[in-house]
Amino acid sequence: MQPRDKYNPDIDNEAAQVAAALSLLIVPVTDLVIRLQAAASKTEPDYVVTDDDRQAFDPLFGDHLEPRHGGWR
């Protein structure tokens, strides 16, 4: 398996040590995306993100309410 970071091949071990020292869990990216989508979907339609000119941004996940292609797992 190739290291995630070619400049710091021990980054996963270092991240695990930091997380343990802070009593944090390392959550898989797929779970984080699922949580992000769930949180973002709770904001619509009552909350719309706008820029300085009050132009609404497109939804973070587009018009897709459910994961496509069998999900993120």
Side-chain angles (χ1 to χ4, degrees), residues 47-58:
Y47 183 79
V48 177
V49 179
T50 59
D51 62 15
D52 292 338
D53 296 325
R54 312 277 300 152
Q55 296 294 314
F57 284 97
D58 289 334

Side-chain angles (χ1 to χ4, degrees), residues 32-65:
L32 294 175
V33 172
I34 290 169
R35 291 179 188 181
L36 176 62
Q37 192 276 335
S41 68
K42 290 178 184 177
T43 63
E44 294 178 7
D46 298 327
Y47 183 79
V48 177
V49 179
T50 59
D51 62 15
D52 292 338
D53 296 325
R54 312 277 300 152
Q55 296 294 314
F57 284 97
D58 289 334
L60 182 62
F61 291 90
D63 295 328
H64 304 283
L65 299 178

